[in-house]
Structure formats: C-alpha cells, structure tokens
Amino acid sequence: MTDDFPDLPDFDPKATRNAVRRGVLRTAAIVLTVLVLLAAALTWGSAAVQTRGDREQRMAAVLGTAFKMYSPAYAVSLGACCETTPMSMSLEVQAAPLRPAGDFWPAGGAAYTISQNLFGRVGRLPLGSVANTRLSTALYDVGTSLAPKKDVRKVLDRLPGDLRAMAVVEFATPLPEGDMKAFMKTHGACAERVAYERRPGALSITWGFGYWADARTNPGKKGGDMTEESCGGGLRDFRAWVGLLHEHDDANLRAFDLSLDRLRRAADGGLSYAYVDQGSSVEKLREVIKDPRVRTVRLADVAFDLDKP
C-alpha cells in the first residue's frame, strides 16, 4: 500500500524572502510596541510616585521658598510646578538681581531649575554663594568690621542727596519685631529683606515679605494696612513657613546653606540683625546712619541715569 502525498510546490526564493521580511518586521513591531508601553508605564508610574499626595505643593513651598532665602540679592518668582522625568522632578524659577526702587535699568533676569531626584534629594543649585552681586557681598559682610560708620558717612556726604540707593542697614544690637517696626516708622524706611541672624562671611537667614504666605493664618492677606507688614520683614509668615518643615527636610535645607535648627532658632527669636532698604534716598540714609541703633550702612547700588541731562 502506498501513501499519497500532495506534490510539494517548487521552491520560490522571492516568496521566501518576503515571508522572512514580514516575520522580521512583525517581530520588530511587537518588540517596539512593548518597549514603548514599558517606557510610558515607567514615565507615568514615576510621575505618579513623585507627585503623590502633596509632594508638588511641598516642593514649591519648601524648596522654592528656600531658594529665595538662598538668593536674597535676587527677586525670585516661581514657575508652575512640576516637571517630571523617570528619575527626577523639577521646578523652574525666574531670578533677577535686585536694583534700587525706581531704577531705570531693565529688570532682566534668567530662568533657573531646582530639581530633586526620585528619593526627594535636591540637586546642584544655581546662584547662592556664587551670586557675586554687590548686594550679596554687603549681606555677607554683616557682622564684620568692614565699612565702618565713619567711612560710610564720608561716602554718603559725597553723593547727591536725591540719589536713590539700595543699602544694607545693620543694627548695633538686634531688634525685636516691635522695635524693628518702630525704627521703620521713625525713618520712613522699608525693609524688603530682613536678616534674622548674624553670620559674618556667610549666608545668614534672610526673609522677605511675600517669600511665602500661609493661607491658614493670612487668608488672602486682605484688609488692613499692608505697608507696615510688607516693610517689617514678614516675620509672621517666616514663622509659619518654619512651622511646616519636618525633620526629613533638613538634608535638602543644607543644600541651600540652611538648617532646621538655625531656622527654628531664628524664627523663635524674631530678632532683626540687618535689613535691605531698596528705595531710600542718600539724604535719608544720612539720617539713618546717625541713629545710635545703627551699626553701619553698607551701600550696594545706586540708580544713576547716565542719559539724564
């Protein structure tokens, strides 16, 4: 008995090549699809992990505010939070050097990025100790013997009285909040930044009104005379911000040349060691430096229009 087998077709090299090609393309498409899905899952999953709970809000509140304290010679504004990658989350900020109020120079400024990794640790930071502006230097000199009062008086006497200036006014003895505000009223001055510690040759804890607002204690900051609050250093908001910090924030705070212990001591003490005056005239600074409560005045900048006839 013989088995009947169908005749095998003739071998077709072209059809074989096409079949192999289709198989390779199909396999590549499947692999590519799997890789894309895995990458998407990794990206979305990482973003979901990094933005879980209130991590975005805390990044802006803690790191964004700490960056303002890290760069007291700059006007800093926070962008929308936050951009994520599989391994990090970042916040963009805009920073421009502070100038005397009413200055004719354009604000300028640049964009910078604050990032933290998957484990919540902040990366390398811009500005800070390398900002190298005259105001940064003046703030670093608080507590040193540089710019003694008698020398500064000679400089002020040489300048036009109506010239607008930006200066760091240092107190001989740190003032409590009430005395600080009384000093501001006496001289009609405004403290855009207040140094709440004396740390010669290093970055002291400096806070400015509007660095951060606690909606629970200051809902909308509506009503009342805001001049006193905005020119008095914003100690209430500083204390509220320090109150939201946790022990695990300390590692990141140290990247900003801060520490939880120092912040708590400064907030509890509430003593003003110096302040930045961004809009006084030279004539007014001449009166301020005569006050026995003032140790010295450190000039940082003046608004002089070279085009003015």
Side-chain angles (χ1 to χ4, degrees):
M1 182 176 179
T2 60
D3 295 326
D4 294 329
F5 292 98
D7 293 334
L8 294 175
D10 294 334
F11 177 72
D12 187 345
K14 183 177 180 180
T16 301
R17 285 195 300 271
N18 289 338
V20 171
R21 189 180 296 112
R22 286 193 299 272
V24 170
L25 292 175
R26 187 181 301 112
T27 302
I30 293 172
V31 171
L32 182 60
T33 301
V34 171
L35 290 176
V36 169
L37 291 175
L38 285 174
L42 179 61
T43 301
W44 294 332
S46 174
V49 169
Q50 294 187 81
T51 59
R52 68 187 184 277
D54 64 346
R55 290 195 74 194
E56 287 181 292
Q57 292 85 348
R58 276 194 63 80
M59 183 176 186
V62 176
L63 302 189
T65 303
F67 183 77
K68 294 179 181 180
M69 300 175 71
Y70 184 63
S71 311
Y74 285 73
V76 178
S77 59
L78 306 184
C81 188
C82 298
E83 292 188 11
T84 60
T85 70
M87 297 304 294
S88 68
M89 183 163 64
S90 62
L91 166 67
E92 187 174 278
V93 299
Q94 292 282 335
L98 286 179
R99 299 289 192 183
D103 199 349
F104 61 93
W105 289 306
Y112 301 94
T113 299
I114 305 169
S115 63
Q116 63 181 22
N117 62 25
L118 192 60
F119 305 102
R121 289 292 174 260
V122 70
R124 185 176 180 277
L125 296 168
L127 299 180
S129 60
V130 296
N132 200 30
T133 68
R134 287 185 60 88
L135 179 55
S136 300
T137 302
L139 287 167
Y140 269 67
D141 288 345
V142 170
T144 69
S145 59
L146 299 173
K149 206 169 187 177
K150 59 182 178 61
D151 291 347
V152 176
R153 280 179 171 173
K154 294 177 182 178
V155 174
L156 291 173
D157 288 342
R158 292 199 303 266
L159 296 173
D162 60 351
L163 190 65
R164 286 279 172 182
M166 181 169 62
V168 176
V169 179
E170 182 180 351
F171 296 117
T173 302
L175 301 182
E177 184 182 26
D179 293 346
M180 163 73 168
K181 290 184 176 180
F183 180 93
M184 295 295 112
K185 285 184 177 180
T186 298
H187 293 285
C190 187
E192 278 78 18
R193 306 277 192 273
V194 175
Y196 284 107
E197 67 174 352
R198 181 175 285 143
R199 200 172 172 227
L203 187 66
S204 62
I205 290 172
T206 305
W207 185 269
F209 179 76
Y211 271 18
W212 181 79
D214 184 0
R216 297 167 300 176
T217 58
N218 296 319
K221 290 185 173 291
K222 296 178 180 177
D225 182 9
M226 295 310 300
T227 302
E228 179 178 328
E229 183 70 17
S230 61
C231 288
L235 180 59
R236 177 171 55 180
D237 285 339
F238 175 42
R239 285 172 168 165
W241 180 75
V242 171
L244 70 81
L245 301 175
H246 303 308
E247 297 297 330
H248 62 75
D249 291 316
D250 190 61
N252 277 343
L253 291 170
R254 290 181 183 277
F256 296 91
D257 200 10
L258 299 167
S259 76
L260 198 52
D261 287 342
R262 283 174 49 218
L263 286 166
R264 287 172 174 169
R265 285 198 303 270
D268 289 344
L271 296 176
S272 303
Y273 289 81
Y275 70 91
V276 176
D277 189 330
Q278 200 179 346
S280 285
S281 65
V282 167
E283 184 177 7
K284 184 179 289 186
L285 291 176
R286 290 172 186 162
E287 296 302 315
V288 168
I289 202 170
K290 294 177 184 177
D291 195 309
R293 292 169 291 184
V294 173
R295 181 170 183 247
T296 191
V297 172
R298 305 176 190 278
L299 285 174
D301 205 349
V302 293
F304 187 76
D305 190 351
L306 295 174
D307 296 323
K308 185 177 179 180

